[in-house]
Amino acid sequence: MTVATTFHVIGAGMAGLAAAVRLSTWGCRVIVHEASAQAGGRCRSYFDRALGCRIDNGNHLILSGNDGIQRFLTQIGARDSLDGATDVPVFPFFDLRSGDRWRVRPNLGRMPWWIFCRNRRVPGTRAGDYLRVAPLLWAGAADTVSDRLGGTAIYEKLWHPLAVSTLNTEAEHASAALLGRILRETFGRGGAACRPLMPRVGLSESFVDPALITLQRHGAEIRFGDRIRGLEFADGRVTAILGGERTAIGESDSVIVATTAPVAQQLVPGIMAPDQFRAIINAHFRVAVPSGRPSFLGLVGGVAEWVFVKPDVVSVTISAADRLVAQSADDLLPRLWAEVARALDLPSPMPPARLIREKRATFAATPGQLRQRAGTRTAWPNLWLAGDWTATGLPSTIEGAIRSGQRAAELSQLGLKSDAIDQAA
């Protein structure tokens, strides 16, 4: 009797969902083990009782060039669930100190002729200022963003807010090489890869709910509330998963650990992982914004970096927020609302609001921490790692998480095939 191969995915965040979706759509038997009562991890939506509406637990700006996200959404039939504010890339900014407004508008092609147009670039900058970013593309492993780019007007009004928000790390400590990778995959590919996209409804409606439906349609089993306490090893392989019950791992089965870095280190002996983290603070205001306002807006010279306008809710994000995470909501929310009201030209009385602090939101994207990111492979041939903290070459983002899960699925399949070839030989 032939026993079907089973792929066990531990964790139903974006990395775990991406791995499970890819394997299940290939016809593989998949079991997902998730400790909590819901999937999505930090990428999900929920109903907030205090605000009386549904909100995303975090704000994420997706770009059209995020290839991993595009593949994932295509697999789960949700590619049309993202909306672009415009058909061309436009990044609006507002300087809270001077009151200046501007829009950065890259052209669609790879040749960046837009930097020669005054009304497409940051005020007070010249075309040559943008060419100075080139050394960032070949930055050394120890270089920081401020080392490579600091001290110019364009740095303060474009590269600095971009770096802090994408890397969630202070620019004076953040890896220049990692920011260079992001720029190569976005601005380096032309404006066609830079068009901002956002979920039409919410993160769960775009990324989580369609993924769960896809998994169920392909016969995958999803075990919520199944906290994995450990793994058993014998004869150089994983032999069991210890959760609510002991689950034996057959000789042809594989395990993908797609948890947070601290949990992965508890489960898998001897792996490296980042051990320094940065906070993110999100504030949500229950307010209907009149038409004509941008769907998102970069802020310069204030506390927050980005404002996102959603149906009946305005959300703001503070990245690398360790300096503010201890402040009370009573102190911080009025400061943030004052920035939002001014930037969006809204009445000043603060509406109902919710402050969400994530003290360990992402790993610190410093040169030292990047060296601690583990690869997908482990010392055990039937055990693989996934997660935005692994060595994806990207920061801790939805794109990085999804790519890590997709790679783990591909390598686990290849590992299974190579084992079969070895046994046949």
Side-chain angles (χ1 to χ4, degrees):
M1 181 178 67
T2 301
V3 178
T5 297
T6 300
F7 292 84
H8 293 266
V9 179
I10 303 176
M14 292 314 304
L17 289 177
V21 164
R22 175 153 288 196
L23 289 166
S24 67
T25 55
W26 285 340
C28 302
R29 182 170 183 260
V30 176
I31 299 177
V32 180
H33 307 260
E34 169 55 42
S36 69
Q38 65 277 321
R42 292 182 57 244
C43 178
R44 62 184 180 86
S45 311
Y46 65 95
F47 184 84
D48 186 272
R49 295 183 182 276
L51 294 181
C53 64
R54 193 167 172 82
I55 62 174
D56 294 332
N57 70 329
N59 296 310
H60 300 270
L61 184 62
I62 301 157
L63 298 182
S64 52
N66 291 150
D67 295 334
I69 288 176
Q70 300 297 341
R71 288 192 299 268
F72 176 72
L73 293 179
T74 298
Q75 284 182 317
I76 63 176
R79 191 158 183 172
D80 292 338
S81 70
L82 300 184
D83 269 342
T86 59
D87 293 331
V88 293
V90 177
F91 296 87
F93 286 88
F94 177 66
D95 191 325
L96 288 156
R97 295 163 302 189
S98 66
D100 292 339
R101 296 181 185 272
W102 66 90
R103 298 188 301 165
V104 174
R105 297 187 296 136
N107 57 283
L108 293 176
R110 286 181 178 268
M111 288 297 294
W113 58 259
W114 65 276
I115 66 176
F116 299 100
C117 299
R118 181 176 299 178
N119 64 349
R120 285 179 171 264
R121 61 183 189 236
V122 177
T125 64
R126 300 180 178 183
D129 295 331
Y130 296 81
L131 300 179
R132 292 176 184 170
V133 77
L136 191 72
L137 305 180
W138 297 278
D143 291 337
T144 67
V145 172
S146 58
D147 287 340
R148 286 283 180 163
L149 296 179
T152 63
I154 190 176
Y155 171 72
E156 182 182 0
K157 295 185 176 182
L158 181 60
W159 302 131
H160 182 268
L162 177 65
V164 173
S165 60
T166 56
L167 303 181
N168 193 37
T169 305
E170 309 83 1
E172 60 269 25
H173 301 301
S175 166
L178 194 56
L179 182 60
R181 172 70 179 268
I182 295 169
L183 294 180
R184 280 195 297 272
E185 293 200 5
T186 54
F187 286 91
R189 293 168 57 189
C194 299
R195 192 163 68 92
L197 303 171
M198 284 177 287
R200 183 176 297 117
V201 179
L203 290 172
S204 287
E205 288 78 3
S206 288
F207 289 91
V208 182
D209 297 342
L212 295 177
I213 292 172
T214 299
L215 290 173
Q216 292 168 353
R217 186 171 67 246
H218 289 281
E221 181 181 351
I222 306 169
R223 300 178 181 177
F224 290 112
D226 188 13
R227 184 177 299 278
I228 304 304
R229 298 176 286 105
L231 302 175
E232 287 184 2
F233 301 87
D235 301 323
R237 301 177 69 86
V238 179
T239 55
I241 295 176
L242 306 177
E245 59 185 31
R246 182 183 183 276
T247 302
I249 303 300
E251 291 186 2
S252 63
D253 296 345
S254 287
V255 177
I256 297 175
V257 174
T259 63
T260 62
V263 173
Q265 286 188 298
Q266 294 173 9
L267 297 177
V268 184
I271 63 168
M272 294 182 65
D275 55 10
Q276 296 178 14
F277 302 89
R278 292 294 187 268
I280 291 178
I281 296 176
N282 289 290
H284 304 276
F285 300 95
R286 180 69 188 270
V287 60
V289 177
S291 60
R293 307 303 195 272
S295 58
F296 73 99
L297 183 65
L299 297 182
V300 174
V303 179
E305 290 91 29
W306 297 95
V307 177
F308 296 88
V309 178
K310 307 173 184 180
D312 299 322
V313 173
V314 172
S315 299
V316 300
T317 297
I318 309 172
S319 301
D322 293 55
R323 70 195 186 280
L324 299 170
V325 77
Q327 287 197 14
S328 70
D330 290 340
D331 290 336
L332 200 49
L333 283 171
R335 292 176 61 189
L336 294 173
W337 175 249
E339 294 183 0
V340 170
R342 186 176 174 208
L344 297 178
D345 192 21
L346 299 176
S348 57
M350 189 175 78
R354 164 75 75 185
L355 192 74
I356 299 176
R357 303 178 183 88
E358 295 180 85
K359 294 183 179 181
R360 293 162 62 92
T362 71
F363 68 87
T366 64
Q369 289 293 290
L370 296 188
R371 291 192 290 269
Q372 296 185 204
R373 302 176 80 177
T376 308
R377 300 177 186 272
T378 71
W380 298 271
N382 65 337
L383 179 62
W384 313 87
L385 299 176
D388 59 11
W389 58 271
T390 60
T392 63
L394 296 172
S396 184
T397 58
I398 295 177
E399 176 70 8
I402 287 177
R403 285 196 199 181
S404 75
Q406 293 169 340
R407 178 166 174 77
E410 292 164 0
L411 290 180
S412 61
Q413 270 282 69
L414 290 173
L416 176 64
K417 291 177 181 178
S418 64
D419 284 348
I421 292 172
D422 290 342
Q423 293 171 8

